[in-house]
Amino acid sequence: MSGNTQARDDSGRADPDRRAADAAEDGLPPRVVALGGGHGLHASLSALRRVTTDLTGVVTVADDGGSSGRLRRELGVLPPGDLRMALAALCGDDEWGHTWSEVIQHRFRSEGELHGHAVGNLLIVALWELLGDSVAGLDWVGQLLGAHGRVLPMSSVPLDIAAEVQGVDPARPHDITTVRGQVACASTRGRVRSISLIPQNPPAFPQALKAVREADWVVFGPGSWFTSVLPHLLVPELAEALVATPARRIVTLNLSPQRGETDGFQPETYLEVLAAHAPDLRVDVVLADRGVVEDTTRLIEAAKALGGRLVLADVGAPDGSPRHDHELLAAAFDDIIRG
């Protein structure tokens, strides 16, 4: 069977198991799409580029802080910061990759207007202005870096996140307040209950939709759950593609709660929140670090409720810090994808 022919089961629906097997027989690398933003997506892309050569990162575009927020407000562009971090994650381990990763991540330190701006943010925005095409600009940066994969925005317009937060005022712990902006949502003193996007029905990038529809595997997380992972499921066209794709889906859980955004979360809470925001989404694998799961039974049940199975692996940094080790995470992904 040709690698371009989509395998189907007896009901006529796309069959991800058969399609993946066909791809393996044809000697093709697995087509993987990872969704998220910031440090979480950086971790998953850094790992996945060690597993496949057909890799796409689909990135949130709601950042309103720091260098990205300033460029967004001044020039009306998509916030480039999370896109820059995703491109840096795709740089190789050779001297060229290391050097360019450091260059685009470098931030100016001064007393003037350049203070805090990342070189990569300025480079990306410059190419956007010259080419008039967001995707083409990112592809050019990727070529310069020798990126092992492609980076795409999830939407063609800048977005704002609005969160319904309980207990912003400690004196009124049961009151619900609407908090607007990614930075405000991520640093809120209350507990985030749900999020929405402004505008409510933003357009998805066609290239991102195509990547999801043609993927063999789709990876959610790790990362800021409400401000980096869930927003993809609130872009209607992208959410539809993520539900309908014949790809198998992996959810990678965080190593620890994020102060403000997910205070008090247990591992299964991430899955419960995911189900509440995307009730039609089915998951095949939930990947969690063996060292942070105290109640395996509850997490297994939460994974089953989404249609998936739990995989426990050692993916945290050996020094005990709450960050994923790229090599260990790559080994876990490889076992799942090729297993």
Side-chain angles (χ1 to χ4, degrees):
M1 181 180 288
S2 166
N4 294 324
T5 301
Q6 190 176 74
R8 297 189 176 270
D9 62 19
D10 292 338
S11 67
R13 296 173 299 186
D15 184 337
D17 292 318
R18 288 177 55 191
R19 191 174 74 171
D22 292 338
E25 289 176 4
D26 288 344
L28 299 174
R31 292 168 290 188
V32 182
V33 174
L35 302 103
H39 294 285
L41 182 59
H42 185 281
S44 61
L45 291 177
S46 296
L48 287 165
R49 69 173 171 82
R50 294 167 164 84
V51 176
T52 182
T53 57
D54 194 337
L55 176 60
T56 302
V58 178
V59 185
T60 54
V61 287
D63 192 2
D64 61 350
S67 172
S68 288
R70 290 159 62 191
L71 291 168
R72 171 180 174 170
R73 289 186 292 272
E74 184 173 343
L75 301 175
V77 296
L78 295 173
D82 285 351
L83 297 161
R84 179 201 79 245
M85 288 190 67
L87 285 164
L90 295 176
C91 288
D93 295 321
D94 57 1
E95 184 180 9
W96 183 274
H98 277 300
T99 300
W100 277 109
S101 177
E102 291 180 359
V103 168
I104 66 168
Q105 295 282 57
H106 176 73
R107 290 185 184 273
F108 294 105
R109 295 290 179 262
S110 73
E111 299 298 325
E113 293 297 321
L114 275 177
H115 179 74
H117 274 305
V119 171
N121 289 357
L122 301 178
L123 177 61
I124 290 169
V125 173
L127 280 163
W128 285 345
E129 289 194 346
L130 287 170
L131 300 175
D133 185 319
S134 297
V135 172
L138 293 169
D139 286 343
W140 272 98
V141 177
Q143 290 180 51
L144 173 65
L145 305 181
H148 296 251
R150 193 182 194 196
V151 171
L152 299 169
M154 73 172 185
S155 176
S156 56
V157 298
L159 303 175
D160 281 320
I161 295 174
E164 298 299 305
V165 183
Q166 181 179 343
V168 171
D169 181 356
R172 306 173 68 88
H174 301 295
D175 285 3
I176 302 294
T177 304
T178 300
V179 176
R180 178 167 175 168
Q182 185 180 51
V183 172
C185 294
S187 59
T188 180
R189 294 176 60 185
R191 181 166 183 176
V192 178
R193 293 299 186 183
S194 65
I195 62 164
S196 58
L197 295 180
I198 302 170
Q200 288 188 349
N201 297 302
F205 258 107
Q207 295 93 329
L209 297 176
K210 183 174 186 293
V212 168
R213 289 167 180 155
E214 295 180 355
D216 297 311
W217 290 86
V218 172
V219 179
F220 298 89
S224 300
W225 214 244
F226 286 101
T227 55
S228 291
V229 178
L230 295 180
H232 295 83
L233 296 163
L234 301 180
V235 177
E237 293 171 305
L238 184 55
E240 181 181 345
L242 289 167
V243 169
T245 179
R248 284 172 283 184
R249 304 167 187 85
I250 302 172
V251 173
T252 308
L253 297 184
N254 292 342
L255 297 173
S256 64
Q258 182 177 344
R259 185 177 180 181
E261 189 168 322
T262 54
D263 277 332
F265 269 37
Q266 298 299 315
E268 60 272 12
T269 313
Y270 295 95
L271 302 182
E272 293 164 359
V273 170
L274 178 66
H277 283 79
D280 295 329
L281 185 72
R282 289 292 168 262
V283 171
D284 296 273
V285 178
V286 174
L287 174 61
D289 182 75
R290 184 178 287 110
V292 303
V293 178
E294 296 179 358
D295 191 335
T296 305
T297 300
R298 293 178 63 179
L299 188 53
I300 289 173
E301 291 303 315
K304 284 183 179 179
L306 291 172
R309 63 186 175 92
L310 174 64
V311 171
L312 294 176
D314 295 317
V315 294
D319 63 7
S321 60
R323 59 184 179 84
H324 287 83
D325 181 271
H326 299 160
E327 297 288 350
L328 293 176
L329 187 57
F333 281 141
D334 191 59
D335 286 343
I336 293 168
I337 291 173
R338 302 186 191 280

